[in-house]
Every structure is written in structure tokens, then in C-alpha cells.
Amino acid sequence: MSREAYQIPTSQGAGGPGAGNAAVAGRAVDNEGLPMLYICGDCGTKFPLKRGDTIRCIECGCRVLYKERTRRMVQFEAR
Amino acid sequence: MAPSSGRVPEPESRKTVGINKETVSNTVSTDFPDNYPDGDESWDKDWFAQNLKIEFHQNDDYEAQFSLIGVDASIANAFRRILIAEIPTLAVETVFIQNNTSVVQDEVLSHRLGLIPFTGGKEGIRDWMKWWHKPVEGADQYSTTYDHNTVQLKLQVECTHNKDAAPDEKDPTKLYHNAHVYAKDIVYEPAGAQEQYFSGDNIIRPTNPDILIAKMRPGQVIDLEMHMHKGIGADHSKFSPVATASYRLMPVIKILKPILGDDAKKFQECFMPGTIKLEKVTKQHVKANKEYAGHEGEVMAAVDNPLYDTVSREVLRHPEFEGKVKLGRKRDHFIFSIESTGQWESDELFLESIKTLKTKSQKLQTQVQNMVYTYSG
């Protein structure tokens, strides 16, 4: 499976083909319309980044950034 | 002649498992019909009722120990297996994670949540709550979820800095709020008619509120919901109503020859405390057993309570006790120990296991009858 075809598994069926493509199209904005925030690996501040921005913390200049966890509900069996 | 009249009990020697130095002998039960020329060993209801005994040694809410005397190992084992695997309880089955930035992975966290024992209103859990069934293929995920088969729980905790903590504080639980997430942080959310069964003292709650679920540091969040369903231990051990349900056979210690003086003390130390007592040899002892003659007033070893013995066989290692003691176990005396996880009380659990066995036997009975009707022409 190619990376683009992969969809984050969700239980509600909301993550069908349509929803998945929308997420791919607008990388910087997730499906809830909130800007995608990145977390600095050094100082921990959260800030938005757009396509083409330099990958760098706006506070301390650290080049290690983390993505935030998905805000979608994930379902597990307690087994 | 009634089958039980004139029947004599099986001699002790036939009912005792031999515990020897390196072997175990006489382990199989022999009380079946036509096995001995001197007695009728066929099963008889009245005889069974006369000889069955249940004696409680300990009966706390969640811990019971009792002796079940006069049944075969197959029956005792059936109770044990029913206790572990077939009595239903409520446990967390599905976890809906909105956010989890703690170091515990979602899957591991879900598994941990599933294993937490919960308790609540007995009437609601046992009689009113029904089984949850998986919806058929294509149907809505929650189409079979109702208030009478699902219990909703919520766990929402966020770790933050404690502004009031002393500047040199090192303890994370004081330095931060919610550094430790415990089972008591789980909140029950009543739905529909659950209010009337699970409110006040009957609220659905963890049996042990201090179970540590996860540790967190400032900025980390756990935000999730859980659904609890009824299930049985055969499906997953989280549904098992017991922490342990086990039995052992009653130990038998027979002192064949007098053990006196310092030997008696050594003999006592070979067993668990309370098993062997030290007594003075009296005139009665001498009268009953000539071997005690001339030792009146000396210390002798006597069996106190063999229940406490672990049958370690330590005594058989010492040459001075050789031929003086015989160890064994009573084959029809089961010392049950039932530790409940909180949804049932231990003694109720045993009664419930009897009920379950009875139901299963009745089902088998009709099936056997059908089989006979089918094949007897």
C-alpha cells in the first residue's frame, strides 16, 4: 500500500475514502478545520507551520519538531 | 431394603493418598461399583446426603476458605472450573480514546483498563444487566447497545504543575497535579434506567480504588471513554469473578511411634506452625500405647491441626523420624480457597457455581433423554 492510500483507522466509518482524501489535500489543516500544530522537541511550544515554512521552532530555533497526536477518536478492545 | 441402610463408610486407608519420600501412591479414587468384594460402592443419593459436609474456616467478604468433604475430585474440580471461567461479571470491553499523550501506549492502556475489577449494585449487575451482542455485519456499531447491557465510564485527567509545591520538592505527586492516574479517577456515567440500580452505595466503581493506571508529567493528557459489558472468564480472564479459586486435599499426619524430647521439638519444626503440638506424656497415653511406658512427664509430639500443613515432606528427610510418621492426604476432603475480585462475595460465588453446575446437568439430562428416544427405536 502506498503512503497516500493509507488511512488512519477509525471506527465510525467517517474515515471513508472521501474523508481520507480531504485530509491529504489540506495537509496543514486537519479535518476539524483547526490549524496543524507542531511541538518543539526542545522547549515544547506549540505553533502552526505551513507548507514551505522552514522546519524550525519560532521560539528557540530547535530543528526537531513533533506532530500532535490525532484528534480523532481511536477505538480499542480492552483485551 | 433401602440402598443406604447397612452401608458402611469406606475405610480411611482406601481414601488416603500416600505421601512417601520420593513418590505419591494410591492417587486414584476406587469407590466405584464392584471394585471391592465387601461393599456396594454404587452412588446413592441418601448416602451422599448423609456424608456430604461443608465446613467454613474463613468467610470474609472477598476471601473464603472452606472444606468440601465427601465428593469426588471430578465434582470438586467442576466447581473450581465454573468459578474461574463460567460465572459472569462486568468488565471494560471497549475503550474510546480521544486523547492519550501519556507514555503508556493506547493498546497497553486499554488492556490495563480492561483488567481493573469493578463492583456495583448486585441486583442491577446480576439480574437486570443482560448480555451484549455484537451487531450483525453492516448494522450500526451501537445498534445493540442499550442501558441494560452497557455501562459507560469516563476517564479524563490532565497533569499540571502544582503552584503551591515547595521549591525544593522532589516528589512528583506533590510537584504536579495528577502525576499518578488511579482507578478512582474513573467516573461512572449513568444512562437510561441505570440510575435506579446503580446510585448511592450501588454506584459502579472500581473495587480497589488505588490501582495505578499510568504516571504522567505536566502537559500530558488522558481523555477516554469506556464501555463495560457482561462476559465470562472462558472468553477473557478479566471477566473471571475470582482472583484465585483453588483446592487442596486435607493432609493426614499419622505418628506411628512415640517422638519424645528434643526429637519432638525438631519434629514440630518440620511442619508449619500450628500443625504439631508438644504435650506431656500422661498416664492416659501410657495406658493407650505401651510404647510410652517409662516416659511419663516427658515432652511428646502430637498432631494439632493438619489443615495448616503444606505437605513439604521435610520430616521425611531426617533419618531419626524414619518409620515413625506416615504422611498422606484425604482424597475426598477438599480445602477450597476462593478469593473474589469484588463483584460477588466469596460464599455467594460457591453457591452460584453449584447453581451453574445444576443448570448444566439439567441441560445434559434432556439431551440424554432425547438421545435415548432417538436410538431406542
Side-chain angles (χ1 to χ4, degrees), chain B residues 103-137:
Chain B
V103 290
V104 186
Q105 295 93 329
D106 291 7
E107 293 87 340
V108 178
L109 185 67
S110 307
H111 179 239
R112 286 177 74 78
L113 290 167
L115 292 172
I116 297 169
F118 282 83
T119 184
K122 284 175 185 171
E123 192 205 342
I125 293 177
R126 285 176 209 172
D127 305 330
W128 183 67
M129 291 279 290
K130 302 284 181 293
W131 300 95
W132 180 86
H133 296 285
K134 217 177 169 179
V136 290
E137 196 94 21

Short mmCIF file of all heavy atoms in Angstrom, two decimals, chain B residues 103-137:
data_model
loop_
_atom_site.label_atom_id
_atom_site.label_comp_id
_atom_site.label_asym_id
_atom_site.label_seq_id
_atom_site.Cartn_x
_atom_site.Cartn_y
_atom_site.Cartn_z
N VAL B 103 2.88 8.26 28.50
CA VAL B 103 3.87 7.34 27.94
C VAL B 103 3.31 5.94 27.73
O VAL B 103 3.94 5.11 27.08
CB VAL B 103 5.15 7.27 28.82
CG1 VAL B 103 5.92 8.56 28.74
CG2 VAL B 103 4.80 6.91 30.24
N VAL B 104 2.13 5.68 28.29
CA VAL B 104 1.52 4.36 28.11
C VAL B 104 0.80 4.34 26.77
O VAL B 104 -0.05 5.18 26.51
CB VAL B 104 0.54 4.06 29.26
CG1 VAL B 104 0.02 2.65 29.14
CG2 VAL B 104 1.21 4.25 30.60
N GLN B 105 1.16 3.38 25.91
CA GLN B 105 0.55 3.32 24.58
C GLN B 105 -0.94 3.00 24.69
O GLN B 105 -1.38 2.35 25.63
CB GLN B 105 1.23 2.24 23.74
CG GLN B 105 2.66 2.52 23.41
CD GLN B 105 3.61 1.92 24.42
OE1 GLN B 105 3.27 1.79 25.60
NE2 GLN B 105 4.80 1.57 23.99
N ASP B 106 -1.69 3.42 23.69
CA ASP B 106 -3.15 3.23 23.68
C ASP B 106 -3.54 1.78 23.94
O ASP B 106 -4.42 1.49 24.75
CB ASP B 106 -3.73 3.64 22.31
CG ASP B 106 -3.64 5.14 22.08
OD1 ASP B 106 -3.02 5.81 22.92
OD2 ASP B 106 -4.17 5.60 21.07
N GLU B 107 -2.87 0.85 23.24
CA GLU B 107 -3.22 -0.56 23.36
C GLU B 107 -2.96 -1.08 24.76
O GLU B 107 -3.78 -1.80 25.34
CB GLU B 107 -2.39 -1.40 22.38
CG GLU B 107 -2.67 -1.16 20.92
CD GLU B 107 -1.86 -0.01 20.32
OE1 GLU B 107 -1.37 0.84 21.10
OE2 GLU B 107 -1.73 0.04 19.10
N VAL B 108 -1.81 -0.68 25.31
CA VAL B 108 -1.43 -1.13 26.65
C VAL B 108 -2.38 -0.53 27.68
O VAL B 108 -2.84 -1.22 28.60
CB VAL B 108 0.04 -0.75 26.94
CG1 VAL B 108 0.44 -1.18 28.33
CG2 VAL B 108 0.96 -1.36 25.91
N LEU B 109 -2.70 0.75 27.50
CA LEU B 109 -3.62 1.42 28.41
C LEU B 109 -4.99 0.74 28.39
O LEU B 109 -5.58 0.48 29.44
CB LEU B 109 -3.75 2.90 28.00
CG LEU B 109 -4.59 3.78 28.92
CD1 LEU B 109 -3.91 3.94 30.26
CD2 LEU B 109 -4.80 5.15 28.29
N SER B 110 -5.47 0.41 27.19
CA SER B 110 -6.77 -0.25 27.07
C SER B 110 -6.75 -1.59 27.78
O SER B 110 -7.70 -1.95 28.49
CB SER B 110 -7.12 -0.49 25.60
OG SER B 110 -7.01 0.70 24.89
N HIS B 111 -5.66 -2.33 27.58
CA HIS B 111 -5.54 -3.63 28.22
C HIS B 111 -5.55 -3.50 29.74
O HIS B 111 -6.24 -4.24 30.45
CB HIS B 111 -4.24 -4.29 27.75
CG HIS B 111 -3.98 -5.61 28.36
ND1 HIS B 111 -2.86 -5.88 29.11
CD2 HIS B 111 -4.72 -6.74 28.37
CE1 HIS B 111 -2.92 -7.12 29.53
NE2 HIS B 111 -4.03 -7.67 29.09
N ARG B 112 -4.84 -2.50 30.25
CA ARG B 112 -4.79 -2.27 31.70
C ARG B 112 -6.18 -1.91 32.23
O ARG B 112 -6.58 -2.38 33.31
CB ARG B 112 -3.82 -1.14 32.03
CG ARG B 112 -2.37 -1.50 31.91
CD ARG B 112 -1.50 -0.30 32.18
NE ARG B 112 -1.46 0.06 33.60
CZ ARG B 112 -0.74 -0.57 34.51
NH1 ARG B 112 0.00 -1.60 34.16
NH2 ARG B 112 -0.73 -0.20 35.77
N LEU B 113 -6.89 -1.07 31.49
CA LEU B 113 -8.23 -0.66 31.93
C LEU B 113 -9.16 -1.87 31.97
O LEU B 113 -10.00 -1.99 32.87
CB LEU B 113 -8.78 0.40 30.98
CG LEU B 113 -8.08 1.77 31.08
CD1 LEU B 113 -8.47 2.64 29.90
CD2 LEU B 113 -8.42 2.47 32.37
N GLY B 114 -9.00 -2.77 31.01
CA GLY B 114 -9.84 -3.95 30.97
C GLY B 114 -9.68 -4.83 32.19
O GLY B 114 -10.62 -5.47 32.63
N LEU B 115 -8.47 -4.85 32.75
CA LEU B 115 -8.20 -5.77 33.87
C LEU B 115 -8.59 -5.20 35.24
O LEU B 115 -8.48 -5.90 36.23
CB LEU B 115 -6.71 -6.13 33.87
CG LEU B 115 -6.24 -6.98 32.69
CD1 LEU B 115 -4.74 -7.11 32.71
CD2 LEU B 115 -6.87 -8.35 32.73
N ILE B 116 -9.05 -3.95 35.29
CA ILE B 116 -9.43 -3.38 36.58
C ILE B 116 -10.77 -3.96 37.02
O ILE B 116 -11.75 -3.88 36.29
CB ILE B 116 -9.53 -1.84 36.49
CG1 ILE B 116 -8.18 -1.24 36.13
CG2 ILE B 116 -10.05 -1.25 37.79
CD1 ILE B 116 -8.24 0.21 35.75
N PRO B 117 -10.83 -4.58 38.21
CA PRO B 117 -12.11 -5.12 38.66
C PRO B 117 -13.05 -4.02 39.16
O PRO B 117 -12.62 -3.15 39.91
CB PRO B 117 -11.73 -6.08 39.79
CG PRO B 117 -10.33 -5.78 40.15
CD PRO B 117 -9.75 -4.84 39.17
N PHE B 118 -14.29 -4.08 38.74
CA PHE B 118 -15.30 -3.12 39.16
C PHE B 118 -16.37 -3.82 40.00
O PHE B 118 -16.55 -5.03 39.91
CB PHE B 118 -15.95 -2.47 37.95
CG PHE B 118 -15.10 -1.40 37.33
CD1 PHE B 118 -14.09 -1.72 36.44
CD2 PHE B 118 -15.30 -0.07 37.66
CE1 PHE B 118 -13.30 -0.73 35.89
CE2 PHE B 118 -14.51 0.93 37.11
CZ PHE B 118 -13.50 0.59 36.22
N THR B 119 -17.06 -3.01 40.80
CA THR B 119 -18.16 -3.55 41.58
C THR B 119 -19.32 -2.55 41.51
O THR B 119 -19.15 -1.44 41.02
CB THR B 119 -17.73 -3.84 43.03
OG1 THR B 119 -18.81 -4.45 43.70
CG2 THR B 119 -17.29 -2.60 43.75
N GLY B 120 -20.47 -2.96 42.01
CA GLY B 120 -21.64 -2.08 41.97
C GLY B 120 -22.87 -2.82 42.44
O GLY B 120 -22.76 -3.94 42.94
N GLY B 121 -24.02 -2.21 42.28
CA GLY B 121 -25.28 -2.82 42.74
C GLY B 121 -25.45 -4.23 42.23
O GLY B 121 -25.45 -4.46 41.03
N LYS B 122 -25.59 -5.18 43.17
CA LYS B 122 -25.64 -6.60 42.80
C LYS B 122 -26.87 -6.93 41.97
O LYS B 122 -26.79 -7.65 40.98
CB LYS B 122 -25.63 -7.47 44.05
CG LYS B 122 -24.28 -7.57 44.69
CD LYS B 122 -24.34 -8.33 45.98
CE LYS B 122 -23.00 -8.31 46.65
NZ LYS B 122 -23.07 -8.85 47.99
N GLU B 123 -28.02 -6.39 42.39
CA GLU B 123 -29.26 -6.70 41.69
C GLU B 123 -29.15 -6.23 40.24
O GLU B 123 -29.50 -6.95 39.31
CB GLU B 123 -30.44 -6.01 42.40
CG GLU B 123 -31.79 -6.50 41.91
CD GLU B 123 -32.89 -5.48 42.13
OE1 GLU B 123 -32.71 -4.55 42.94
OE2 GLU B 123 -33.94 -5.61 41.47
N GLY B 124 -28.65 -5.01 40.07
CA GLY B 124 -28.50 -4.45 38.73
C GLY B 124 -27.58 -5.27 37.86
O GLY B 124 -27.91 -5.61 36.73
N ILE B 125 -26.41 -5.62 38.41
CA ILE B 125 -25.41 -6.33 37.61
C ILE B 125 -25.89 -7.75 37.28
O ILE B 125 -25.76 -8.21 36.15
CB ILE B 125 -24.05 -6.37 38.34
CG1 ILE B 125 -23.46 -4.96 38.45
CG2 ILE B 125 -23.08 -7.29 37.61
CD1 ILE B 125 -22.16 -4.89 39.20
N ARG B 126 -26.46 -8.43 38.28
CA ARG B 126 -26.77 -9.85 38.07
C ARG B 126 -28.08 -10.10 37.35
O ARG B 126 -28.16 -10.95 36.46
CB ARG B 126 -26.83 -10.56 39.43
CG ARG B 126 -25.45 -10.75 39.99
CD ARG B 126 -25.52 -11.36 41.35
NE ARG B 126 -24.36 -10.92 42.10
CZ ARG B 126 -24.19 -11.15 43.38
NH1 ARG B 126 -25.09 -11.81 44.06
NH2 ARG B 126 -23.10 -10.73 43.98
N ASP B 127 -29.14 -9.38 37.76
CA ASP B 127 -30.46 -9.71 37.23
C ASP B 127 -30.88 -8.78 36.10
O ASP B 127 -31.44 -9.21 35.11
CB ASP B 127 -31.51 -9.67 38.36
CG ASP B 127 -31.11 -10.57 39.50
OD1 ASP B 127 -30.43 -11.58 39.22
OD2 ASP B 127 -31.44 -10.26 40.65
N TRP B 128 -30.60 -7.49 36.29
CA TRP B 128 -31.12 -6.53 35.31
C TRP B 128 -30.23 -6.43 34.08
O TRP B 128 -30.72 -6.34 32.96
CB TRP B 128 -31.28 -5.16 35.98
CG TRP B 128 -31.86 -4.14 35.08
CD1 TRP B 128 -33.13 -4.12 34.58
CD2 TRP B 128 -31.19 -3.01 34.54
NE1 TRP B 128 -33.30 -3.03 33.77
CE2 TRP B 128 -32.12 -2.32 33.73
CE3 TRP B 128 -29.91 -2.49 34.66
CZ2 TRP B 128 -31.80 -1.16 33.04
CZ3 TRP B 128 -29.58 -1.33 33.99
CH2 TRP B 128 -30.52 -0.68 33.18
N MET B 129 -28.92 -6.47 34.29
CA MET B 129 -27.99 -6.35 33.16
C MET B 129 -28.04 -7.64 32.33
O MET B 129 -27.97 -8.73 32.87
CB MET B 129 -26.56 -6.12 33.65
CG MET B 129 -26.34 -4.76 34.27
SD MET B 129 -26.09 -3.44 33.07
CE MET B 129 -24.51 -3.85 32.42
N LYS B 130 -28.13 -7.48 31.02
CA LYS B 130 -28.19 -8.63 30.12
C LYS B 130 -26.91 -8.67 29.28
O LYS B 130 -26.07 -7.78 29.37
CB LYS B 130 -29.41 -8.50 29.19
CG LYS B 130 -30.73 -8.39 29.95
CD LYS B 130 -31.14 -9.74 30.49
CE LYS B 130 -32.47 -9.69 31.23
NZ LYS B 130 -32.46 -8.91 32.47
N TRP B 131 -26.81 -9.72 28.46
CA TRP B 131 -25.63 -9.87 27.62
C TRP B 131 -25.64 -8.87 26.48
O TRP B 131 -26.69 -8.59 25.91
CB TRP B 131 -25.55 -11.28 27.05
CG TRP B 131 -25.49 -12.33 28.09
CD1 TRP B 131 -26.54 -13.03 28.60
CD2 TRP B 131 -24.34 -12.79 28.79
NE1 TRP B 131 -26.11 -13.90 29.56
CE2 TRP B 131 -24.76 -13.77 29.69
CE3 TRP B 131 -22.98 -12.47 28.72
CZ2 TRP B 131 -23.89 -14.44 30.53
CZ3 TRP B 131 -22.10 -13.13 29.56
CH2 TRP B 131 -22.56 -14.09 30.45
N TRP B 132 -24.46 -8.42 26.12
CA TRP B 132 -24.32 -7.55 24.95
C TRP B 132 -23.95 -8.42 23.77
O TRP B 132 -23.10 -9.31 23.90
CB TRP B 132 -23.23 -6.51 25.21
CG TRP B 132 -22.99 -5.56 24.07
CD1 TRP B 132 -23.66 -4.42 23.81
CD2 TRP B 132 -21.98 -5.67 23.07
NE1 TRP B 132 -23.15 -3.81 22.71
CE2 TRP B 132 -22.12 -4.55 22.23
CE3 TRP B 132 -20.98 -6.59 22.79
CZ2 TRP B 132 -21.30 -4.34 21.13
CZ3 TRP B 132 -20.16 -6.38 21.70
CH2 TRP B 132 -20.33 -5.27 20.88
N HIS B 133 -24.59 -8.21 22.62
CA HIS B 133 -24.27 -8.98 21.42
C HIS B 133 -23.67 -8.08 20.38
O HIS B 133 -24.08 -6.92 20.24
CB HIS B 133 -25.53 -9.67 20.88
CG HIS B 133 -26.08 -10.67 21.82
ND1 HIS B 133 -25.50 -11.90 22.01
CD2 HIS B 133 -27.13 -10.60 22.67
CE1 HIS B 133 -26.19 -12.56 22.92
NE2 HIS B 133 -27.18 -11.79 23.35
N LYS B 134 -22.75 -8.61 19.63
CA LYS B 134 -22.12 -7.86 18.55
C LYS B 134 -23.16 -7.61 17.46
O LYS B 134 -23.91 -8.52 17.12
CB LYS B 134 -20.96 -8.69 17.99
CG LYS B 134 -19.79 -7.85 17.58
CD LYS B 134 -18.65 -8.69 17.11
CE LYS B 134 -17.65 -7.75 16.47
NZ LYS B 134 -16.49 -8.40 15.98
N PRO B 135 -23.23 -6.38 16.94
CA PRO B 135 -24.21 -6.14 15.88
C PRO B 135 -23.87 -6.96 14.63
O PRO B 135 -22.71 -7.28 14.40
CB PRO B 135 -24.10 -4.64 15.60
CG PRO B 135 -22.98 -4.13 16.37
CD PRO B 135 -22.47 -5.19 17.28
N VAL B 136 -24.90 -7.26 13.85
CA VAL B 136 -24.66 -8.04 12.63
C VAL B 136 -23.86 -7.20 11.64
O VAL B 136 -23.83 -5.97 11.72
CB VAL B 136 -25.98 -8.51 11.97
CG1 VAL B 136 -26.64 -9.56 12.81
CG2 VAL B 136 -26.90 -7.33 11.73
N GLU B 137 -23.23 -7.86 10.70
CA GLU B 137 -22.40 -7.20 9.68
C GLU B 137 -23.22 -6.13 8.97
O GLU B 137 -24.34 -6.38 8.51
CB GLU B 137 -21.91 -8.25 8.69
CG GLU B 137 -20.76 -7.80 7.83
CD GLU B 137 -19.40 -8.20 8.41
OE1 GLU B 137 -19.36 -9.14 9.24
OE2 GLU B 137 -18.42 -7.59 8.02
#
